[in-house]
Amino acid sequence: MIDTERLATWLDGLDLPGKGEPVEHAYLSGGTQNEIYEIRRGPLHCALRIPPPTAPADRDKGIHREWRIIEALEGTDVPHTPAVAVCTDPSVLGRTFYLMGFVDGWSPMNMKDKKWPEPFGSDLSARRGLAEQLADGIALLSKVDWQARGLSDLGRPDGFHERQVDRWTRFLERIKGREIPGLDEASAWLRAHKPLDYVPGLMHGDYQFANVMFEHGAPARLAAVVDWEMGTVGDPKLDLAWMIHTWPEDTSSPEAATSGYVDLTGMPSRDELLARYAQTSGRQVDDIDYYCVLAKWKLAIVLEQGFQRAGDDPKLQAYGPIILKVMREAADLAETTRYRG
Protein backbone atom coordinates (compact mmCIF):
# COMPACT_ATOMS: atom_id res chain seq x y z
CA MET A 1 0.00 0.00 0.00
CA ILE A 2 1.01 3.61 -0.57
CA ASP A 3 1.64 5.96 2.37
CA THR A 4 -0.51 8.80 1.05
CA GLU A 5 0.56 11.25 3.75
CA ARG A 6 4.23 10.92 2.84
CA LEU A 7 3.34 11.06 -0.84
CA ALA A 8 1.27 14.22 -0.31
CA THR A 9 4.14 15.90 1.55
CA TRP A 10 6.51 15.08 -1.29
CA LEU A 11 4.02 16.28 -3.91
CA ASP A 12 3.62 19.58 -2.03
CA GLY A 13 7.23 20.36 -2.87
CA LEU A 14 6.60 20.05 -6.60
CA ASP A 15 5.02 22.45 -9.04
CA LEU A 16 2.01 20.24 -9.70
CA PRO A 17 -1.74 20.84 -9.52
CA GLY A 18 -3.69 19.78 -6.44
CA LYS A 19 -1.27 21.11 -3.85
CA GLY A 20 -2.68 20.75 -0.34
CA GLU A 21 -5.50 18.45 -1.35
CA PRO A 22 -5.82 14.85 -0.14
CA VAL A 23 -4.28 12.05 -2.19
CA GLU A 24 -6.51 9.22 -3.40
CA HIS A 25 -4.99 6.03 -4.71
CA ALA A 26 -6.07 2.67 -6.12
CA TYR A 27 -4.02 -0.43 -6.91
CA LEU A 28 -4.03 -1.20 -10.64
CA SER A 29 -1.59 -4.03 -11.25
CA GLY A 30 1.72 -5.54 -10.27
CA GLY A 31 3.61 -8.58 -9.17
CA THR A 32 7.23 -9.53 -8.66
CA GLN A 33 8.48 -6.80 -11.00
CA ASN A 34 6.73 -3.50 -10.32
CA GLU A 35 3.44 -2.23 -8.95
CA ILE A 36 1.23 0.45 -10.50
CA TYR A 37 -1.23 2.67 -8.62
CA GLU A 38 -3.71 5.21 -9.88
CA ILE A 39 -3.18 8.54 -8.12
CA ARG A 40 -5.67 11.41 -7.90
CA ARG A 41 -5.17 14.74 -6.19
CA GLY A 42 -7.63 17.37 -7.24
CA PRO A 43 -6.99 17.92 -10.96
CA LEU A 44 -3.85 15.76 -10.85
CA HIS A 45 -4.49 12.33 -12.35
CA CYS A 46 -1.51 10.04 -12.87
CA ALA A 47 -0.10 6.55 -12.36
CA LEU A 48 2.63 5.69 -9.87
CA ARG A 49 5.12 2.94 -10.71
CA ILE A 50 7.21 1.46 -7.90
CA PRO A 51 9.02 -1.82 -7.09
CA PRO A 52 7.36 -3.99 -4.45
CA PRO A 53 8.97 -3.81 -0.98
CA THR A 54 10.55 -7.27 -1.39
CA ALA A 55 12.17 -6.55 -4.77
CA PRO A 56 15.99 -6.57 -4.99
CA ALA A 57 17.74 -3.27 -4.38
CA ASP A 58 18.83 -2.93 -8.02
CA ARG A 59 15.18 -2.66 -9.05
CA ASP A 60 15.31 0.98 -7.98
CA LYS A 61 17.93 1.62 -10.66
CA GLY A 62 15.62 -0.06 -13.16
CA ILE A 63 12.75 2.21 -12.20
CA HIS A 64 14.93 5.28 -12.65
CA ARG A 65 16.06 3.87 -16.00
CA GLU A 66 12.42 3.60 -17.10
CA TRP A 67 11.86 7.18 -16.00
CA ARG A 68 14.77 8.41 -18.08
CA ILE A 69 13.30 6.77 -21.16
CA ILE A 70 9.78 8.17 -20.85
CA GLU A 71 11.20 11.59 -20.00
CA ALA A 72 13.38 11.43 -23.12
CA LEU A 73 10.35 10.56 -25.25
CA GLU A 74 8.69 13.89 -24.44
CA GLY A 75 8.23 15.83 -27.68
CA THR A 76 8.77 12.79 -29.93
CA ASP A 77 6.23 11.05 -32.15
CA VAL A 78 6.33 7.91 -30.00
CA PRO A 79 3.06 7.43 -28.09
CA HIS A 80 4.02 7.25 -24.41
CA THR A 81 2.86 8.05 -20.91
CA PRO A 82 3.76 11.66 -20.06
CA ALA A 83 6.60 12.01 -17.55
CA VAL A 84 5.34 13.81 -14.41
CA ALA A 85 7.91 13.39 -11.62
CA VAL A 86 10.48 10.98 -10.19
CA CYS A 87 11.61 10.34 -6.60
CA THR A 88 14.85 8.57 -5.67
CA ASP A 89 14.55 9.36 -1.95
CA PRO A 90 13.65 6.10 -0.12
CA SER A 91 12.36 8.04 2.89
CA VAL A 92 9.23 8.96 0.91
CA LEU A 93 7.78 5.57 -0.06
CA GLY A 94 10.67 3.21 0.67
CA ARG A 95 11.69 2.74 -2.97
CA THR A 96 12.46 4.80 -6.05
CA PHE A 97 9.24 5.58 -7.93
CA TYR A 98 7.92 7.80 -10.66
CA LEU A 99 4.65 9.39 -11.68
CA MET A 100 3.41 9.30 -15.25
CA GLY A 101 0.32 10.78 -16.84
CA PHE A 102 -2.70 8.50 -16.60
CA VAL A 103 -3.63 7.03 -19.99
CA ASP A 104 -7.34 6.66 -20.68
CA GLY A 105 -7.14 3.61 -22.87
CA TRP A 106 -7.24 -0.17 -22.92
CA SER A 107 -4.67 -2.93 -22.93
CA PRO A 108 -4.86 -6.18 -24.94
CA MET A 109 -3.66 -7.93 -21.78
CA ASN A 110 -6.99 -7.17 -20.10
CA MET A 111 -9.14 -8.85 -22.75
CA LYS A 112 -11.27 -11.80 -21.70
CA ASP A 113 -11.06 -15.03 -23.71
CA LYS A 114 -8.85 -13.32 -26.34
CA LYS A 115 -11.85 -11.28 -27.53
CA TRP A 116 -11.04 -7.84 -28.90
CA PRO A 117 -13.28 -5.00 -27.66
CA GLU A 118 -15.77 -3.61 -30.16
CA PRO A 119 -15.59 -2.61 -32.89
CA PHE A 120 -12.42 -4.68 -33.29
CA GLY A 121 -14.14 -7.89 -32.24
CA SER A 122 -16.52 -7.97 -35.20
CA ASP A 123 -14.98 -5.59 -37.74
CA LEU A 124 -11.86 -7.21 -39.18
CA SER A 125 -11.07 -4.14 -41.28
CA ALA A 126 -10.84 -2.08 -38.07
CA ARG A 127 -8.72 -4.78 -36.45
CA ARG A 128 -6.01 -4.36 -39.10
CA GLY A 129 -5.30 -0.96 -37.64
CA LEU A 130 -4.31 -2.44 -34.29
CA ALA A 131 -1.41 -4.31 -35.88
CA GLU A 132 -0.44 -1.36 -38.07
CA GLN A 133 -0.33 0.91 -35.04
CA LEU A 134 1.70 -1.68 -33.16
CA ALA A 135 4.29 -1.75 -35.96
CA ASP A 136 4.32 2.05 -36.19
CA GLY A 137 5.12 2.31 -32.47
CA ILE A 138 8.54 0.68 -32.73
CA ALA A 139 9.21 2.17 -36.16
CA LEU A 140 8.84 5.63 -34.60
CA LEU A 141 10.86 4.57 -31.56
CA SER A 142 13.74 3.52 -33.82
CA LYS A 143 13.93 7.09 -35.19
CA VAL A 144 14.38 8.79 -31.80
CA ASP A 145 17.71 10.65 -31.55
CA TRP A 146 18.81 8.92 -28.35
CA GLN A 147 22.10 10.80 -28.14
CA ALA A 148 20.49 14.21 -28.42
CA ARG A 149 18.00 13.19 -25.71
CA GLY A 150 20.63 12.36 -23.14
CA LEU A 151 20.54 8.56 -23.38
CA SER A 152 24.12 7.96 -24.55
CA ASP A 153 24.88 6.01 -21.37
CA LEU A 154 21.66 3.97 -21.34
CA GLY A 155 23.16 0.94 -23.08
CA ARG A 156 26.29 -0.30 -24.82
CA PRO A 157 25.45 -0.16 -28.51
CA ASP A 158 29.00 -0.92 -29.65
CA GLY A 159 29.38 -4.66 -30.10
CA PHE A 160 25.70 -5.27 -29.37
CA HIS A 161 25.38 -8.32 -31.61
CA GLU A 162 28.78 -9.73 -30.76
CA ARG A 163 27.80 -9.82 -27.08
CA GLN A 164 24.36 -11.40 -27.41
CA VAL A 165 25.29 -15.08 -27.61
CA ASP A 166 28.02 -14.96 -24.98
CA ARG A 167 25.95 -12.91 -22.56
CA TRP A 168 22.80 -15.01 -22.73
CA THR A 169 24.68 -18.30 -22.88
CA ARG A 170 26.43 -17.42 -19.61
CA PHE A 171 23.08 -16.46 -18.14
CA LEU A 172 21.59 -19.79 -19.15
CA GLU A 173 24.50 -21.74 -17.70
CA ARG A 174 23.81 -20.17 -14.31
CA ILE A 175 20.18 -21.28 -14.26
CA LYS A 176 20.23 -24.33 -16.52
CA GLY A 177 18.55 -27.43 -15.12
CA ARG A 178 17.88 -29.45 -18.26
CA GLU A 179 18.90 -29.91 -21.87
CA ILE A 180 17.17 -27.69 -24.41
CA PRO A 181 17.22 -29.27 -27.90
CA GLY A 182 18.16 -26.81 -30.63
CA LEU A 183 20.13 -24.52 -28.31
CA ASP A 184 23.56 -25.50 -29.62
CA GLU A 185 22.50 -25.33 -33.27
CA ALA A 186 20.87 -21.91 -32.95
CA SER A 187 23.78 -20.57 -30.86
CA ALA A 188 26.32 -21.71 -33.46
CA TRP A 189 24.32 -20.14 -36.28
CA LEU A 190 24.10 -16.80 -34.46
CA ARG A 191 27.84 -16.81 -33.83
CA ALA A 192 28.47 -17.39 -37.53
CA HIS A 193 26.09 -14.76 -38.90
CA LYS A 194 25.37 -11.08 -38.48
CA PRO A 195 22.78 -8.57 -39.76
CA LEU A 196 23.28 -6.76 -43.06
CA ASP A 197 23.66 -3.50 -41.18
CA TYR A 198 23.39 -2.27 -37.64
CA VAL A 199 22.11 1.21 -36.82
CA PRO A 200 21.93 1.64 -33.03
CA GLY A 201 18.74 3.04 -31.62
CA LEU A 202 16.40 3.13 -28.67
CA MET A 203 14.64 -0.20 -28.19
CA HIS A 204 11.90 -1.43 -25.87
CA GLY A 205 13.22 -4.94 -25.31
CA ASP A 206 9.87 -6.72 -24.89
CA TYR A 207 7.71 -5.23 -27.61
CA GLN A 208 4.34 -6.89 -28.16
CA PHE A 209 0.61 -6.31 -27.76
CA ALA A 210 1.00 -6.96 -24.02
CA ASN A 211 3.07 -3.79 -23.59
CA VAL A 212 1.02 -1.17 -25.39
CA MET A 213 -2.26 0.63 -24.77
CA PHE A 214 -4.80 1.79 -27.33
CA GLU A 215 -7.24 4.68 -27.28
CA HIS A 216 -10.89 3.75 -26.99
CA GLY A 217 -12.91 3.33 -30.18
CA ALA A 218 -12.03 3.16 -33.85
CA PRO A 219 -9.98 3.76 -35.86
CA ALA A 220 -7.20 2.09 -33.88
CA ARG A 221 -4.83 4.59 -32.31
CA LEU A 222 -1.84 3.68 -30.19
CA ALA A 223 -2.17 5.55 -26.89
CA ALA A 224 1.12 4.58 -25.26
CA VAL A 225 4.01 2.15 -25.28
CA VAL A 226 4.41 0.98 -21.67
CA ASP A 227 6.56 -1.20 -19.39
CA TRP A 228 10.09 -0.10 -20.23
CA GLU A 229 11.85 -2.56 -17.89
CA MET A 230 13.99 -3.93 -20.74
CA GLY A 231 14.53 -0.59 -22.48
CA THR A 232 18.05 0.12 -23.73
CA VAL A 233 20.08 1.45 -26.64
CA GLY A 234 20.74 -1.46 -28.96
CA ASP A 235 19.31 -2.73 -32.24
CA PRO A 236 15.68 -1.65 -32.76
CA LYS A 237 15.10 -4.39 -35.34
CA LEU A 238 15.23 -6.91 -32.52
CA ASP A 239 12.03 -5.24 -31.26
CA LEU A 240 10.52 -5.83 -34.69
CA ALA A 241 11.49 -9.52 -34.61
CA TRP A 242 10.16 -9.84 -31.06
CA MET A 243 6.83 -8.60 -32.38
CA ILE A 244 6.55 -10.74 -35.53
CA HIS A 245 8.53 -13.93 -34.93
CA THR A 246 5.33 -15.89 -34.25
CA TRP A 247 3.14 -13.85 -36.61
CA PRO A 248 1.42 -16.06 -39.21
CA GLU A 249 1.83 -15.19 -42.85
CA ASP A 250 -1.80 -16.09 -43.54
CA THR A 251 -3.91 -14.29 -40.93
CA SER A 252 -7.10 -15.82 -42.32
CA SER A 253 -5.98 -19.30 -41.28
CA PRO A 254 -7.08 -21.00 -38.03
CA GLU A 255 -3.51 -20.57 -36.79
CA ALA A 256 -4.05 -16.82 -36.57
CA ALA A 257 -6.59 -17.26 -33.79
CA THR A 258 -4.52 -19.70 -31.74
CA SER A 259 -0.85 -18.84 -32.28
CA GLY A 260 -0.60 -16.50 -29.31
CA TYR A 261 -2.43 -14.78 -26.49
CA VAL A 262 -4.39 -12.56 -28.91
CA ASP A 263 -6.49 -13.39 -31.97
CA LEU A 264 -4.63 -12.20 -35.08
CA THR A 265 -7.41 -13.14 -37.50
CA GLY A 266 -7.90 -10.46 -40.13
CA MET A 267 -4.74 -8.56 -39.31
CA PRO A 268 -2.05 -7.70 -41.87
CA SER A 269 0.27 -10.49 -42.91
CA ARG A 270 3.80 -10.72 -41.62
CA ASP A 271 5.17 -9.36 -44.90
CA GLU A 272 2.75 -6.43 -44.83
CA LEU A 273 3.89 -5.47 -41.33
CA LEU A 274 7.54 -5.73 -42.35
CA ALA A 275 6.89 -3.42 -45.29
CA ARG A 276 5.07 -0.94 -43.09
CA TYR A 277 7.90 -0.93 -40.55
CA ALA A 278 10.48 -0.43 -43.29
CA GLN A 279 8.57 2.49 -44.78
CA THR A 280 8.01 4.26 -41.46
CA SER A 281 11.42 3.59 -39.92
CA GLY A 282 13.56 3.95 -43.03
CA ARG A 283 15.38 0.71 -42.13
CA GLN A 284 15.79 -2.31 -44.40
CA VAL A 285 14.27 -5.61 -43.27
CA ASP A 286 15.90 -8.04 -45.72
CA ASP A 287 17.79 -9.63 -42.82
CA ILE A 288 14.73 -10.17 -40.62
CA ASP A 289 15.39 -13.92 -40.39
CA TYR A 290 18.59 -13.22 -38.47
CA TYR A 291 16.64 -11.18 -35.95
CA CYS A 292 13.89 -13.79 -35.70
CA VAL A 293 16.42 -16.52 -34.89
CA LEU A 294 17.89 -14.23 -32.24
CA ALA A 295 14.47 -13.31 -30.84
CA LYS A 296 13.30 -16.93 -30.54
CA TRP A 297 16.62 -18.06 -29.06
CA LYS A 298 16.67 -15.22 -26.52
CA LEU A 299 13.00 -15.61 -25.59
CA ALA A 300 13.49 -19.29 -24.82
CA ILE A 301 16.38 -18.45 -22.49
CA VAL A 302 14.48 -15.65 -20.74
CA LEU A 303 11.47 -17.91 -20.18
CA GLU A 304 13.71 -20.72 -18.92
CA GLN A 305 14.57 -18.59 -15.91
CA GLY A 306 10.91 -18.50 -14.93
CA PHE A 307 10.48 -22.20 -15.56
CA GLN A 308 13.48 -23.14 -13.41
CA ARG A 309 12.03 -21.27 -10.43
CA ALA A 310 8.42 -22.33 -11.08
CA GLY A 311 7.92 -24.43 -7.99
CA ASP A 312 4.18 -24.98 -7.66
CA ASP A 313 3.28 -22.00 -9.86
CA PRO A 314 1.24 -23.43 -12.76
CA LYS A 315 1.77 -20.30 -14.88
CA LEU A 316 5.55 -20.66 -14.75
CA GLN A 317 5.33 -24.43 -15.12
CA ALA A 318 3.48 -23.89 -18.39
CA TYR A 319 6.61 -22.27 -19.82
CA GLY A 320 8.32 -25.68 -19.97
CA PRO A 321 7.01 -26.99 -23.30
CA ILE A 322 6.77 -23.47 -24.76
CA ILE A 323 10.50 -22.99 -24.26
CA LEU A 324 11.31 -26.25 -26.03
CA LYS A 325 9.02 -25.29 -28.93
CA VAL A 326 10.48 -21.80 -29.34
CA MET A 327 14.10 -22.98 -29.20
CA ARG A 328 13.33 -25.70 -31.73
CA GLU A 329 11.81 -23.03 -33.98
CA ALA A 330 14.99 -20.95 -33.66
CA ALA A 331 17.15 -23.91 -34.71
CA ASP A 332 14.81 -24.86 -37.55
CA LEU A 333 14.75 -21.31 -38.92
CA ALA A 334 18.53 -21.12 -38.70
CA GLU A 335 18.75 -24.34 -40.71
CA THR A 336 16.21 -23.44 -43.39
CA THR A 337 16.63 -19.71 -43.91
CA ARG A 338 18.26 -18.46 -47.09
CA TYR A 339 19.79 -15.58 -45.17
CA ARG A 340 23.54 -16.00 -44.97
CA GLY A 341 24.70 -12.60 -43.77
Side-chain angles (χ1 to χ4, degrees), residues 65-83:
R65 182 187 186 87
E66 292 182 33
W67 162 261
R68 290 185 61 200
I69 293 173
I70 67 167
E71 185 181 39
L73 292 177
E74 290 293 296
T76 71
D77 294 331
V78 181
H80 64 282
T81 54

Side-chain angles (χ1 to χ4, degrees), residues 56-137:
D58 62 359
R59 194 67 53 76
D60 292 65
K61 293 181 180 179
I63 281 287
H64 191 258
R65 182 187 186 87
E66 292 182 33
W67 162 261
R68 290 185 61 200
I69 293 173
I70 67 167
E71 185 181 39
L73 292 177
E74 290 293 296
T76 71
D77 294 331
V78 181
H80 64 282
T81 54
V84 177
V86 64
C87 178
T88 58
D89 182 356
S91 69
V92 180
L93 295 181
R95 307 298 301 252
T96 294
F97 66 90
Y98 65 85
L99 298 176
M100 51 187 166
F102 193 86
V103 176
D104 182 19
W106 60 276
S107 167
M109 281 300 289
N110 296 331
M111 298 188 306
K112 293 183 178 180
D113 301 323
K114 299 173 61 172
K115 293 182 179 178
W116 295 102
E118 293 299 334
F120 308 108
S122 57
D123 186 349
L124 297 186
S125 62
R127 191 183 295 181
R128 286 183 60 89
L130 296 170
E132 292 169 346
Q133 286 284 293
L134 185 69
D136 287 351

Side-chain angles (χ1 to χ4, degrees), residues 2 26-38 47-52 100 102 107 109-110 210-211 213 226-227 229:
I2 296 296
Y27 177 80
L28 293 179
S29 64
T32 59
Q33 296 298 317
N34 293 297
E35 297 175 344
I36 304 178
Y37 295 84
E38 182 178 4
L48 185 151
R49 188 163 167 92
I50 187 171
M100 51 187 166
F102 193 86
S107 167
M109 281 300 289
N110 296 331
N211 289 327
M213 295 183 67
V226 297
D227 292 353
E229 294 171 12

Side-chain angles (χ1 to χ4, degrees), residues 235-309:
D235 193 329
K237 282 198 292 185
L238 184 53
D239 275 342
L240 173 64
W242 206 263
M243 181 187 84
I244 61 96
H245 75 90
T246 60
W247 204 282
E249 180 54 39
D250 181 4
T251 53
S252 65
S253 68
E255 178 191 3
T258 60
S259 61
Y261 58 87
V262 296
D263 182 358
L264 301 179
T265 305
M267 292 197 175
S269 70
R270 182 178 182 274
D271 285 347
E272 288 175 315
L273 287 181
L274 288 173
R276 187 177 182 98
Y277 176 90
Q279 181 178 14
T280 304
S281 69
R283 294 171 182 253
Q284 60 81 21
V285 294
D286 294 338
D287 51 3
I288 191 61
D289 277 0
Y290 167 86
Y291 290 92
C292 285
V293 173
L294 178 57
K296 290 175 183 292
W297 177 88
K298 183 177 177 180
L299 176 60
I301 294 174
V302 171
L303 293 180
E304 183 70 10
Q305 180 184 34
F307 176 70
Q308 290 298 330
R309 66 184 185 195

